[in-house]
Amino acid sequence: MPKTSKPQELTEVSEAQIAVHWKEEEHYQPSEKFKAQANMRDPHMLERFGLGHFPDCFKEYADMLTWFEPYRTVLDTSDAPFWKWFAGGKINASYNCVDRHLAKYGTKTAFIFVPEPEAEPDVVLTYQDLYARVNEVAVLLRALGLKAGDRVTLHMPMVPELPITMLACARLGVVHSQVFGGFSGQACGSRIQDSGSRVLLTMDSYWRNGALIDHKANADIAVRTAEDLGQHVDKVLVWQRYPGKYSAKTPMVSGRDFFVNDLLKDHTGKKLEPVALPSEGPLFLMYSSGTTGKPKGAQHGIAGYLSYVTATSRWILDIHPEDVYWCMADIGWITGHSYIVYGPLANAATSVLYEGVPTFPDAGRPWRIAERLGVNIFHTAPTAIRMLRKLGPQEPRKYAYHFKSMTTVGEPIEPEAWRWYYDEVGKREAVITDTWWLTETGGFLGTTVPAIHAMKPGSCGPGAPGIHPIIYDETGAEILKGSGKAGNICIRNPWPGIMQTIWGDRDRYIKTYYAKYNKNPRSKDWRDWPFMCGDGAVQAADGYYRILGRIDDVINVAGHRLGTKEIESACLTVPEVAEAAVVPVQDEVKGRVPEVYIALKPGVTPSQDVIDRVIKANEDVIGKIARPKHVYIVPDMPKTRSGKIMRRVLAAISNRRDVGDVTTLANPDVVEQIRIMVQGKDAKATHEALPEDIAKFGQVE
């Protein structure tokens, strides 16, 4: 393995760039055993997907699908940057995910549903079962008057009824908008209003952390919120967690609320032919998780999106029909849409669907499930990896599972956490694909092709096949690889998985993703429309990209723009530290300085020694410019229900501001504990506005 090089120390950096002090990490090679069985092991594939072969190279992706009518144009740029992929064809996503597998894989398992209560048996759905249930729900939706182009909102937990409902919508061409089950009723209501949904599909209850949650209560709030915003909901369709039994305390509303299980009795065994839909028709809306402003619905089209997640599931996740694949994300996010539902099913995968939290009843749960079900492909987020490492660093050793490949998704993973994932979870056998992408991109943007590229801790790798990134500074000048400088990462070219537009807001779509680096707003040439991802990044000499986090999450310290991910990564080099969060604080001299919050591994006693070593780690790894103003050891980080650390809340506390509404957090009580620790018991937070850069911090629009 190549030796690591010394950290580069940059002392001068222009306002247009982000200072970078990462050390170069060593490379890890995939095993010969993995390479021999991989779906994609032809290195010439990278040449086929070079810019010189764009866009026709993506015909390979379209060829993985089954078409009712062939497409005429690979990429239609006539309404740039509203790209139309594989235009002129007719296709159906539900058919591609279910029907076409029946002849060969009808008796094969599509989903293994694992309830959170360990005493409850798994529910196994074959492709034949999935076909029957999707058809019945599609017939029901059609009977309610829903047709192609209508929108319905789903607010559902991780249960089989969620993918069944999504596929039933796709069968009809009804556009589904699934809202993460952990979001509040208000968040759901605002998304109902924005999408113009008249039907809400939900569930009475679900298990989380050992409690049966009354989820129906959120439906009432959602309908009320939508009504207040001007959108009437005609019907609320309620799935029952235990069919035939109502498990919520919130009463049903007569004339509006109906149990899906009861309505389906009229449609048992009925079939509905999948509608042949235009390839560029909309498949679903996925709203970004921004905490401020109007919801932003990324609209994804049928053929482009489906081809992209099918190909990347096959080549990057390396899913074969005989594998048992488990993506531990939630279907309520884009990861779940792309890499639990559409991509794996299009490849006839067998997937695990787990209802609850990975640490219930203890940190060994994921590894017990993996061992029992023979999971060999594992896919999760750095948040979950850090949490499992914190609670049970030795747990994976107790179980006899074997992963061939593992994926990380959702945010950059620090090298320390990457190595634990590789050594302990993957047992040094599994390859890791550290993927970088966004809700808006549909599928992976930056990743290694696992049998072709070496792995490198902390780096997502090069661009995915057919993805051609470029890093610009604020002025639009290109930042070259190996320069040690960072800037705004963009993608030079469109790709099939890219969103079609923001639902109902063309201007916002252009302004958010294209306006900054577009030189000619009237151009129909794709070369004039680089896609701005909103992340800072640096490209090493070997071509691998390291993502520094959101551009808004950069701290400007005395003219040096420091990426928070880099500071957090330095904190994690202290062995006692399990999690770290960095926020900007106003400073009279330096403008902004970082403050650090750390949570320790179980059994570690908080001490000044740990704080001192965290400070020293930042000075050693980055330099004195990154010395934190304070380091606070907290009992836990304030987190969303999906496990994301709410840096916005910590920034408000550090800057002596009101934290706002925290009731929707998974652990709201910890916020007051931290506030007292930082501000003192009797301190009064001010309501005056924060400077814009701090106000934006931790809030992706």
Side-chain angles (χ1 to χ4, degrees):
M1 291 184 188
K3 291 184 179 175
T4 56
S5 58
K6 290 186 177 177
Q8 283 186 304
E9 188 68 36
L10 296 181
T11 51
E12 293 299 321
V13 62
S14 79
E15 182 62 25
Q17 295 157 356
I18 303 164
V20 177
H21 307 77
W22 296 110
K23 69 172 186 175
E24 277 295 292
E25 299 286 343
E26 60 191 345
H27 291 81
Y28 292 68
Q29 297 295 334
S31 69
E32 292 304 316
K33 181 181 176 184
F34 177 85
K35 288 195 281 190
Q37 62 81 59
N39 280 322
M40 177 45 69
R41 49 186 184 268
D42 174 13
H44 297 297
M45 177 269 295
L46 302 172
E47 295 161 24
R48 297 202 306 272
F49 282 84
L51 260 185
H53 299 288
F54 179 85
D56 286 353
C57 55
F58 284 115
K59 287 179 179 177
E60 282 193 51
Y61 285 17
D63 288 347
M64 295 185 191
L65 303 180
T66 304
W67 294 80
F68 295 149
E69 293 179 21
Y71 60 88
R72 293 192 298 273
T73 309
V74 176
L75 174 61
D76 177 352
T77 67
S78 61
D79 189 22
F82 301 90
W83 317 111
K84 294 184 180 72
W85 281 93
F86 311 123
K90 291 286 178 72
I91 196 165
N92 187 282
S94 182
Y95 180 89
N96 274 276
C97 290
V98 185
D99 304 43
R100 68 172 177 159
H101 301 317
L102 295 180
K104 188 173 182 183
Y105 297 116
T107 58
K108 179 182 183 294
T109 299
F111 285 117
I112 307 167
F113 172 61
V114 180
E116 189 186 74
E118 263 186 294
E120 280 193 29
D122 298 341
V123 176
V124 174
L125 284 176
T126 65
Y127 275 90
Q128 191 65 52
D129 297 332
L130 192 59
Y131 173 75
R133 295 195 62 184
V134 166
N135 270 281
E136 289 171 357
V137 176
V139 171
L140 165 59
L141 295 177
R142 187 180 62 179
L144 294 173
L146 289 165
K147 60 188 186 307
D150 291 342
R151 281 81 57 210
V152 301
T153 298
L154 320 179
H155 193 203
M156 293 180 64
M158 284 288 287
V159 290
E161 288 77 7
L162 175 50
I164 287 166
T165 305
M166 290 165 63
L167 291 163
C169 289
R171 200 168 189 80
L172 293 166
V174 171
V175 181
H176 61 76
S177 168
Q178 155 67 3
V179 179
F180 170 55
F183 273 175
S184 66
Q186 288 96 327
C188 180
S190 66
R191 287 154 173 77
I192 289 172
Q193 184 275 328
D194 189 76
S195 64
S197 296
R198 292 178 294 107
V199 175
L200 170 65
L201 282 122
T202 187
M203 192 158 223
D204 59 356
S205 62
Y206 64 97
W207 288 97
R208 186 172 180 86
N209 253 329
L212 190 60
I213 305 290
D214 180 349
H215 189 55
K216 169 61 168 64
N218 287 313
D220 293 2
I221 297 167
V223 170
R224 232 177 11 250
T225 301
E227 198 80 49
D228 290 345
L229 294 169
Q231 176 64 32
H232 178 69
V233 175
D234 298 333
K235 290 185 176 62
V236 177
L237 307 184
V238 182
W239 285 98
Q240 291 172 313
R241 174 63 178 79
Y242 297 98
K245 175 186 168 191
Y246 188 48
S247 302
K249 295 188 177 70
T250 306
M252 298 282 281
V253 176
S254 178
R256 185 197 75 185
D257 299 352
F258 302 89
F259 289 124
V260 180
N261 309 71
D262 289 345
L263 297 177
L264 282 174
K265 289 172 185 170
D266 295 334
H267 307 294
T268 304
K270 290 183 181 174
K271 303 282 188 292
L272 186 153
E273 284 299 307
V275 179
L277 297 159
S279 47
E280 61 270 30
L283 177 60
F284 66 86
L285 305 179
M286 169 58 65
Y287 283 88
S288 60
S289 57
T291 52
T292 58
K294 188 173 182 280
K296 186 173 60 178
Q299 175 184 314
H300 284 285
I302 303 170
Y305 170 82
L306 188 63
S307 71
Y308 197 74
V309 298
T310 300
T312 48
S313 293
R314 189 173 300 177
W315 289 356
I316 310 302
L317 299 177
D318 198 53
I319 294 176
H320 301 65
E322 58 271 21
D323 291 320
V324 180
Y325 164 75
W326 183 12
C327 176
M328 219 166 59
D330 194 292
I331 295 173
W333 303 111
I334 189 69
T335 300
H337 279 51
S338 299
Y339 298 120
I340 297 178
V341 182
Y342 289 109
L345 289 177
N347 283 287
T350 293
S351 290
V352 176
L353 200 63
Y354 175 54
E355 177 180 32
V357 295
T359 52
F360 184 84
D362 55 67
R365 186 70 188 277
W367 323 127
R368 285 199 294 281
I369 292 171
E371 179 185 71
R372 181 168 62 81
L373 298 179
V375 173
N376 67 336
I377 306 176
F378 187 67
H379 188 166
T380 192
T383 296
I385 294 165
R386 289 191 295 264
M387 181 168 58
L388 291 163
R389 173 176 175 245
K390 172 183 173 183
L391 296 176
Q394 309 302 321
E395 282 294 314
R397 296 182 186 180
K398 300 175 185 174
Y399 301 95
Y401 66 83
H402 289 280
F403 297 151
K404 71 168 184 177
S405 69
M406 308 190 303
T407 300
T408 167
V409 62
E411 60 180 316
I413 181 169
E414 305 83 357
E416 292 301 312
W418 190 100
R419 278 186 276 271
W420 179 80
Y421 195 38
Y422 181 77
D423 292 341
E424 298 296 339
V425 179
K427 304 178 182 180
R428 300 193 174 190
E429 299 170 339
V431 295
I432 293 178
T433 44
D434 174 2
T435 64
W436 163 70
W437 57 300
L438 317 166
T439 298
E440 297 88 340
T441 73
F444 306 140
L445 290 181
T447 178
T448 51
V449 179
I452 295 173
H453 297 112
M455 301 164 270
K456 185 177 173 186
S459 296
C460 64
I467 301 294
H468 299 278
I470 186 169
I471 299 176
Y472 291 119
D473 69 12
E474 289 295 313
T475 68
E478 183 177 352
I479 296 176
L480 300 177
K481 69 179 182 182
S483 66
K485 295 172 183 172
N488 302 333
I489 188 166
C490 300
I491 310 300
R492 299 171 194 262
N493 59 298
W495 62 97
I498 194 172
M499 66 193 294
Q500 297 178 307
T501 186
I502 292 175
W503 175 261
D505 202 338
R506 285 171 60 99
D507 291 344
R508 189 179 184 190
Y509 169 76
I510 294 172
K511 182 183 172 191
T512 305
Y513 303 104
Y514 294 100
K516 189 173 181 76
Y517 296 115
N518 170 253
K519 304 270 192 309
N520 178 7
R522 289 185 294 279
S523 175
K524 308 285 185 218
D525 189 332
W526 58 265
R527 295 168 189 81
D528 292 326
W529 295 98
F531 178 88
M532 181 164 159
C533 302
D535 281 321
V538 60
Q539 189 182 20
D542 61 12
Y544 281 32
Y545 294 92
R546 195 157 193 170
I547 306 300
L548 306 180
R550 303 300 294 173
I551 292 164
D552 287 343
D553 293 357
V554 169
I555 303 176
N556 194 330
V557 183
H560 292 66
R561 299 178 79 221
L562 300 176
T564 52
K565 262 293 160 203
E566 193 169 23
I567 302 173
E568 291 172 3
S569 188
C571 296
L572 288 185
T573 63
V574 177
E576 292 86 348
V577 176
E579 294 177 304
V582 177
V583 300
V585 181
Q586 290 173 279
D587 183 86
E588 287 182 10
V589 178
K590 297 180 180 177
R592 304 286 178 266
V593 289
E595 265 191 2
V596 169
Y597 292 83
I598 56 173
L600 304 179
K601 293 175 183 173
V604 177
T605 306
S607 68
Q608 186 60 41
D609 174 60
V610 172
I611 290 173
D612 292 342
R613 283 187 287 124
V614 166
I615 293 169
K616 186 173 187 303
N618 276 283
E619 292 183 346
D620 289 350
V621 173
I622 302 174
K624 291 211 179 333
I625 192 73
R627 181 185 174 92
K629 185 173 185 177
H630 294 105
V631 176
Y632 298 106
I633 299 177
V634 297
D636 194 11
M637 299 289 184
K639 289 174 183 164
T640 63
R641 288 273 301 279
S642 62
K644 180 184 175 186
I645 296 172
M646 287 298 283
R647 291 165 178 83
R648 170 185 67 80
V649 170
L650 296 173
I653 291 172
S654 278
N655 287 280
R656 307 302 196 265
R657 296 306 199 278
D658 180 52
V659 296
D661 180 19
V662 295
T663 55
T664 57
L665 295 186
N667 53 352
D669 296 348
V670 83
V671 175
E672 181 60 11
Q673 295 176 46
I674 297 171
R675 191 198 67 76
I676 291 170
M677 179 188 299
V678 175
Q679 299 178 355
K681 191 162 189 179
D682 301 320
K684 291 282 186 286
T686 173
H687 290 271
E688 68 183 76
L690 281 164
E692 188 180 5
D693 63 313
I694 298 179
K696 277 185 175 178
F697 186 83
Q699 298 188 14
V700 181
E701 195 228 354

